Amino acid sequence: MGRRRAPELYRAPFPLYALQVDPSAGLLIAAGGGGAAKTGIKNGVHFLQLEQINGRLSAALLHSHDTETRATMNLALAGDILAAGQDAHCQLLRFRVHQQKGNKAEKAGSKEQGPRQRKGAAPAEKKAGAETYHEGVELKVEKLQAVQTDFGPDPLQKVVCFNHDNTLLATGGTDGFVRVWKVPSLEKVLEFKAHEGEIEDLALGPDGKLVTVGWDLKASVWQKDQLLIQLHWQENGPTFSNTPYRYQACSESGTFLGLGTVTGSVAIYIAFSLQRLYYMREAHGIVVTDVAFLPEKGRGPELLGSHETALFSVAVDSRCQLHLLPSRRSVPVWLLLLLCVGLIVVTILLLQSAFPGFL
């Protein structure tokens, strides 16, 4: 009997490195590429329409945005604005979805090989490196500002995130500096050295605090450029003799925790207890580069159907896979109330039987 496999939701014509979900429009955004090397592998950002078809969650290519010679390695989403980490730069993109009047899908242009398309749809727009596959829906992408965010010897932006009201953007990379930018002008408002070596991840809190983790084995909390508290793995982490460990990621609190490993495995845990609810061994067979949950807002509940949550994973094998967590069985509230009432009635009857003058 073969190994159980996760459903393959989508396969891109290039390695995938970053993933975001827009629950309001029901879009899955996957990005990556082959970089500047002349290998013939494209670089792009693909916008996929998520739909429930016959009780199954599926994805179809809605729009392909060509990023020319730069592969997108990380993404952050704020409404209709994407922040894409491309080499040492951050490129802002604005996308808009339009419902077309009537079916004006044209048959001009050649179909891009590799990605799954909507049945019966053909590329209807091909200009400035963009292709749109639509069936009554059109998506347009507009380039906004771009800025260099990393200045190391081998510069690379490794992480990007928005603050809670999407007015600021924070970036980190190989030079160990955190830089904060206004949105959408990308005017720099803050810059400071946070780590010796690469910054692995960062998060902006609603109170203005910033959390960073880096290759120097440290996790730090900052108020602007002032260090508030710092954890060092060798001093504060678990003791593992002769084994090098470092903090890898920082994330927001939530119901579930999604995990992708260097061996391609994917797991879902309860966030507060770390009880494992789902595990797919070597789902990709190669390092998982990003994971993202389908948010429980917007079209999220509609797309989830009878499942408790859905986790998407991407890897350099060009695949986007779907990991569904079935709803765990629970007793309805009305049934609990009925059982309580029944228990009270039975208790009273037993007491009345044992002690005739009880009532």
Short mmCIF file of all heavy atoms in Angstrom, two decimals, residues 10-11 35 87 119 121 141 155 170 266 269 291:
data_model
loop_
_atom_site.label_atom_id
_atom_site.label_comp_id
_atom_site.label_asym_id
_atom_site.label_seq_id
_atom_site.Cartn_x
_atom_site.Cartn_y
_atom_site.Cartn_z
N TYR A 10 -1.98 22.82 -6.99
CA TYR A 10 -1.51 23.61 -8.12
C TYR A 10 -0.04 23.31 -8.36
O TYR A 10 0.71 23.02 -7.41
CB TYR A 10 -1.70 25.10 -7.81
CG TYR A 10 -1.20 26.03 -8.88
CD1 TYR A 10 -1.89 26.17 -10.08
CD2 TYR A 10 -0.05 26.79 -8.71
CE1 TYR A 10 -1.44 27.03 -11.08
CE2 TYR A 10 0.41 27.65 -9.69
CZ TYR A 10 -0.29 27.76 -10.88
OH TYR A 10 0.16 28.61 -11.86
N ARG A 11 0.36 23.35 -9.63
CA ARG A 11 1.78 23.20 -9.96
C ARG A 11 2.20 24.35 -10.86
O ARG A 11 1.62 24.57 -11.93
CB ARG A 11 2.04 21.87 -10.67
CG ARG A 11 3.55 21.63 -10.92
CD ARG A 11 3.80 20.32 -11.64
NE ARG A 11 3.38 19.19 -10.85
CZ ARG A 11 3.66 17.92 -11.17
NH1 ARG A 11 4.36 17.66 -12.27
NH2 ARG A 11 3.25 16.93 -10.40
N GLY A 35 15.25 32.91 -10.73
CA GLY A 35 16.23 33.97 -10.52
C GLY A 35 16.79 34.49 -11.82
O GLY A 35 16.20 34.33 -12.90
N ASP A 87 15.45 39.62 -4.62
CA ASP A 87 16.88 39.87 -4.42
C ASP A 87 17.04 40.80 -3.21
O ASP A 87 16.54 40.50 -2.15
CB ASP A 87 17.52 40.44 -5.68
CG ASP A 87 17.44 39.47 -6.86
OD1 ASP A 87 17.36 38.26 -6.62
OD2 ASP A 87 17.45 39.95 -8.01
N LYS A 119 -11.14 25.80 -16.76
CA LYS A 119 -11.63 25.03 -17.89
C LYS A 119 -12.32 25.94 -18.89
O LYS A 119 -13.20 26.71 -18.56
CB LYS A 119 -12.60 23.96 -17.39
CG LYS A 119 -13.06 23.02 -18.51
CD LYS A 119 -13.96 21.95 -17.93
CE LYS A 119 -14.42 20.99 -19.02
NZ LYS A 119 -15.32 19.95 -18.50
N ALA A 121 -11.05 28.48 -20.40
CA ALA A 121 -10.56 29.85 -20.43
C ALA A 121 -9.27 29.92 -21.21
O ALA A 121 -8.51 28.97 -21.29
CB ALA A 121 -10.34 30.36 -19.01
N VAL A 141 -2.58 43.87 -12.21
CA VAL A 141 -1.50 44.14 -11.27
C VAL A 141 -0.78 45.40 -11.69
O VAL A 141 -0.42 45.58 -12.86
CB VAL A 141 -0.51 42.95 -11.21
CG1 VAL A 141 0.65 43.28 -10.27
CG2 VAL A 141 -1.21 41.68 -10.76
N PRO A 155 23.76 40.75 -0.86
CA PRO A 155 22.48 41.29 -0.33
C PRO A 155 21.27 40.47 -0.75
O PRO A 155 21.15 40.04 -1.89
CB PRO A 155 22.43 42.70 -0.93
CG PRO A 155 23.28 42.63 -2.16
CD PRO A 155 24.36 41.66 -1.84
N ALA A 170 8.14 46.54 7.49
CA ALA A 170 9.46 46.24 8.06
C ALA A 170 10.13 45.17 7.22
O ALA A 170 9.49 44.21 6.77
CB ALA A 170 9.34 45.78 9.50
N VAL A 266 4.82 18.18 6.51
CA VAL A 266 3.92 19.27 6.90
C VAL A 266 3.07 18.80 8.08
O VAL A 266 2.60 17.65 8.09
CB VAL A 266 3.00 19.69 5.73
CG1 VAL A 266 2.00 20.76 6.18
CG2 VAL A 266 3.83 20.20 4.56
N TYR A 269 -0.59 21.85 14.37
CA TYR A 269 -0.65 21.70 15.81
C TYR A 269 -1.67 22.66 16.40
O TYR A 269 -1.97 23.70 15.81
CB TYR A 269 0.72 22.01 16.46
CG TYR A 269 1.83 21.06 16.09
CD1 TYR A 269 2.50 21.19 14.88
CD2 TYR A 269 2.22 20.03 16.94
CE1 TYR A 269 3.54 20.34 14.53
CE2 TYR A 269 3.25 19.16 16.61
CZ TYR A 269 3.91 19.33 15.40
OH TYR A 269 4.93 18.47 15.07
N VAL A 291 4.31 28.18 4.31
CA VAL A 291 2.99 27.64 4.59
C VAL A 291 2.06 28.80 4.94
O VAL A 291 2.51 29.83 5.42
CB VAL A 291 3.00 26.61 5.75
CG1 VAL A 291 3.78 25.36 5.37
CG2 VAL A 291 3.56 27.22 7.03
#
